[in-house]
Amino acid sequence: MQSKRERAKTGREKLQHIIETCKSIEDRSLDPFLIDVNEIISTVKEYFPEWEIPDDLCLDAETIHRLASVIKLQSEWVRHRSTSLYTDPFLLEEKLNRLGKEEIIEVFVSAWHPIVEFEQISLHSLAEAFRYWESLLPMKERWKEFPPAEFERSLATREELIRQRILRDKAFSEELETFWQELKSQVETKGENGKIHYWDFVGAETYDETVHKAFMTSFLITYGYATLEIHPLEEEIFIKPYEKQMAKIGKKQLVSIPIAVSAEDWMKWKRGELK
Amino acid sequence: MLFYRRHRKPGVKGWELRKVLGSDYPKVLKIVDDYLKALDLQVKTVFEEEKQVEKPSLEELDKARFYVTLRGELTPKEAKMIGWRIDDLAGLATTIAHVISKKGKAPRKEVEEMLRDKLPGWKVGFNIDRYIRYGYLTQDENEQLYLDWRTRAEVDQKALIDLLLSK
């Protein structure tokens, strides 16, 4: 035999589950007939005598409210099926998959009647605008109604500026040097022939970190701490650190190499699908 | 008034016409519609409720929006001439048909998946955002897509579904 407290706990869980199910039907456009309304009503009725505190009564009311929304969806569902617009989504999806772009367009243009509109100014609106302009006060006169806001001034500490990202924790050159050392050590451990796959180096746990590493890598290359080795046929990019920072090669034409670091690529790299 | 844009939308509300033309404005619209026939244009009424009303009351007409649309049909070649790429238009047609079949509401992810079958991945999200911007679709905070005002004004939804199914 369940104690009163245990029974109330089970009841709360059941109502919470009903609310979640109803919510997912509403949010994800699922078939509203997935739920058995009679069964839910009998569950709500069964536990109703257990509720004493306002929170439980609110839970009960929310369950009824959610159930009412699903019943409304059921009625809309029935109404839609009875209209001439009802089509089996699977049948239509099948048709759409089978048809080529040209055929879809051919069908669409037969049912499409684009709006015709003017984008030019009319004489009437020009006259209206002119009247408005004439009655508009100069900026000087309009702005004097608002006295400038007074700001409180005080000294900011270095820590505050770092927190607001106005100053950096380390100098950039120092950060770049550290990053270079990191590249060299990763080439030693993970790389081959003194180089490492681009994504194996820039790829990190989070996307933000990955973008930051890609950003820093671009500076390593621009400032002569490392170079890129691109194999276009294999679609592979390697980073090769230099032992010493290389001076700019005087007459040689510098080229920019854009490398996209999209969230999609990062996900692929995480799944091991990208080199 | 019918041709000009107010804020983002073209067309005019019934109550705006009543203010300018008086309560007989539906008759004036009928005359304009007859006149536009020769130009292959028509006055299109879009009621506040999604479905078409058989015999609308004056109150329903006041709340409705009136547009001028093309009366006849375009050819695919003409559609390209008015600035639509074939891919984008096919994507729009597929999206609208899918949303209609899902009772006017479909998850964006589902639509994206469907479009990705025939359009490059990078283009799919971009295109859906464009359809939203143009007013063909609207999206709620749960990323559900609905048909918006422009689809209701421009697309004969029943004809589209019937034609697709008969293909």
Side-chain angles (χ1 to χ4, degrees):
Chain A
M1 189 70 184
Q2 265 186 323
S3 70
K4 194 173 162 56
R5 236 170 103 184
E6 276 173 357
R7 206 175 135 66
K9 194 182 163 206
T10 317
R12 269 183 224 117
E13 280 170 7
K14 282 192 178 172
L15 294 195
Q16 204 65 53
H17 178 70
I18 294 169
I19 291 170
E20 290 305 321
T21 313
C22 292
K23 260 191 196 171
S24 63
I25 286 175
E26 276 182 81
D27 297 344
R28 287 156 52 203
S29 315
L30 300 177
D31 181 355
F33 289 97
L34 281 174
I35 62 161
D36 185 342
V37 176
N38 287 335
E39 198 188 310
I40 290 178
I41 289 177
S42 57
T43 310
V44 173
K45 266 188 187 168
E46 186 190 335
Y47 288 98
F48 185 69
E50 309 293 327
W51 310 140
E52 284 163 358
I53 58 168
D55 277 357
D56 290 339
L57 290 167
C58 284
L59 192 69
D60 181 85
E62 197 189 342
T63 313
I64 298 291
H65 170 70
R66 292 283 168 194
L67 184 64
S69 307
V70 173
I71 293 172
K72 190 177 165 223
L73 285 177
Q74 288 184 343
S75 107
E76 279 170 13
W77 181 276
V78 171
R79 207 179 321 139
H80 179 73
R81 285 205 167 205
S82 63
T83 63
S84 51
L85 270 178
Y86 173 70
T87 329
D88 184 348
F90 297 107
L91 182 66
L92 195 72
E93 201 174 324
E94 173 60 28
K95 285 267 178 188
L96 289 169
N97 283 335
R98 205 165 42 77
L99 292 176
K101 283 176 205 167
E102 286 79 7
E103 284 173 296
I104 294 177
I105 299 236
E106 210 176 286
V107 166
F108 185 63
V109 290
S110 307
W112 185 39
H113 308 278
I115 291 173
V116 179
E117 59 183 289
F118 283 153
E119 284 191 339
Q120 71 208 51
I121 200 157
S122 69
L123 204 59
H124 172 73
S125 51
L126 257 181
E128 190 92 330
F130 191 62
R131 274 197 295 278
Y132 167 77
W133 186 253
E134 272 188 332
S135 62
L136 192 66
L137 288 172
M139 291 292 262
K140 283 190 287 191
E141 285 174 49
R142 272 184 288 156
W143 279 18
K144 71 182 173 193
E145 289 169 29
F146 306 102
E150 283 181 20
F151 297 102
E152 205 176 294
R153 287 176 198 162
S154 65
L155 289 173
T157 62
R158 182 180 151 77
E159 285 70 33
E160 276 171 350
L161 292 176
I162 290 170
R163 214 167 36 244
Q164 289 170 15
R165 298 185 176 200
I166 294 168
L167 278 186
R168 300 180 73 92
D169 207 358
K170 288 181 198 171
F172 185 71
S173 55
E174 203 183 316
E175 202 175 332
L176 204 61
E177 285 276 341
T178 318
F179 198 65
W180 184 32
Q181 296 311 325
E182 193 190 331
L183 171 64
K184 286 204 256 186
S185 80
Q186 284 214 23
V187 167
E188 263 176 38
T189 53
K190 289 193 212 163
E192 261 180 38
N193 303 328
K195 60 190 180 189
I196 186 169
H197 271 291
Y198 180 79
W199 269 98
D200 285 353
F201 179 61
V202 300
E205 267 312 294
T206 63
Y207 179 59
D208 284 0
E209 211 183 318
T210 305
V211 171
H212 182 251
K213 285 182 88 176
F215 171 75
M216 293 300 289
T217 305
S218 72
F219 279 97
L220 282 186
I221 293 156
T222 311
Y223 291 161
Y225 290 96
T227 185
L228 282 181
E229 199 176 290
I230 300 171
H231 300 174
L233 290 179
E234 290 85 0
E235 293 187 4
E236 285 181 322
I237 304 174
F238 293 91
I239 313 171
K240 212 173 172 177
Y242 292 130
E243 270 315 304
K244 276 197 286 178
Q245 188 189 1
M246 302 288 274
K248 292 257 165 66
I249 305 137
K251 285 177 186 167
K252 198 171 171 186
Q253 175 74 47
L254 289 175
V255 287
S256 295
I257 301 158
I259 303 174
V261 183
S262 66
E264 209 175 310
D265 286 347
W266 173 70
M267 293 291 283
K268 274 191 194 165
W269 172 78
K270 289 270 279 182
R271 291 195 296 264
E273 295 165 15
L274 191 82
K275 274 286 176 188
Chain B
M1 285 177 87
L2 283 164
F3 282 105
Y4 285 112
R5 196 183 281 201
R6 273 154 205 75
H7 307 290
R8 251 183 68 238
K9 285 187 190 174
V12 62
K13 280 265 189 182
W15 64 265
E16 289 178 285
L17 287 172
R18 186 159 48 81
K19 242 168 87 177
V20 179
L21 302 170
S23 56
D24 267 350
Y25 73 90
K27 285 181 193 160
V28 179
L29 284 174
K30 175 83 186 66
I31 296 165
V32 174
D33 188 52
D34 287 341
Y35 178 78
L36 289 173
K37 230 176 234 172
L39 302 168
D40 199 26
L41 301 176
Q42 64 181 348
V43 175
K44 169 90 188 185
T45 314
V46 178
F47 293 98
E48 217 177 31
E49 289 287 307
E50 282 191 20
K51 55 183 187 235
Q52 219 43 31
V53 183
E54 278 297 307
K55 278 186 183 165
S57 64
L58 202 58
E59 198 187 336
E60 280 168 324
L61 284 170
D62 277 356
K63 287 182 188 164
R65 199 172 183 91
F66 299 89
Y67 305 90
V68 174
T69 70
L70 203 69
R71 187 181 290 265
E73 292 165 16
L74 287 169
T75 62
K77 210 174 166 187
E78 283 165 342
K80 269 195 243 175
M81 277 164 60
I82 57 171
W84 279 91
R85 289 192 67 247
I86 181 166
D87 277 6
D88 303 338
L89 199 58
L92 175 66
T94 305
T95 307
I96 291 176
H98 183 74
V99 176
I100 295 172
S101 79
K102 292 277 179 149
K103 300 190 285 124
K105 173 185 175 185
R108 181 177 172 132
K109 280 217 171 101
E110 199 177 283
V111 174
E112 282 182 344
E113 232 164 76
M114 204 168 97
L115 293 184
R116 209 165 279 136
D117 203 36
K118 290 187 182 172
L119 292 178
W122 62 269
K123 228 179 158 193
V124 169
F126 178 76
N127 268 18
I128 293 181
D129 288 337
R130 193 142 71 107
Y131 304 150
I132 293 173
R133 220 170 40 246
Y134 287 175
Y136 285 104
L137 300 174
T138 181
Q139 180 178 292
D140 68 8
E141 66 283 2
N142 297 319
E143 300 223 311
Q144 297 282 337
L145 294 176
Y146 303 82
L147 300 179
D148 206 6
W149 63 271
R150 196 181 279 275
T151 303
R152 292 209 294 276
E154 294 186 351
V155 182
D156 183 340
Q157 296 176 33
K158 188 177 176 328
L160 176 66
I161 297 297
D162 288 347
L163 285 165
L164 275 174
L165 291 177
S166 65
K167 271 276 171 181

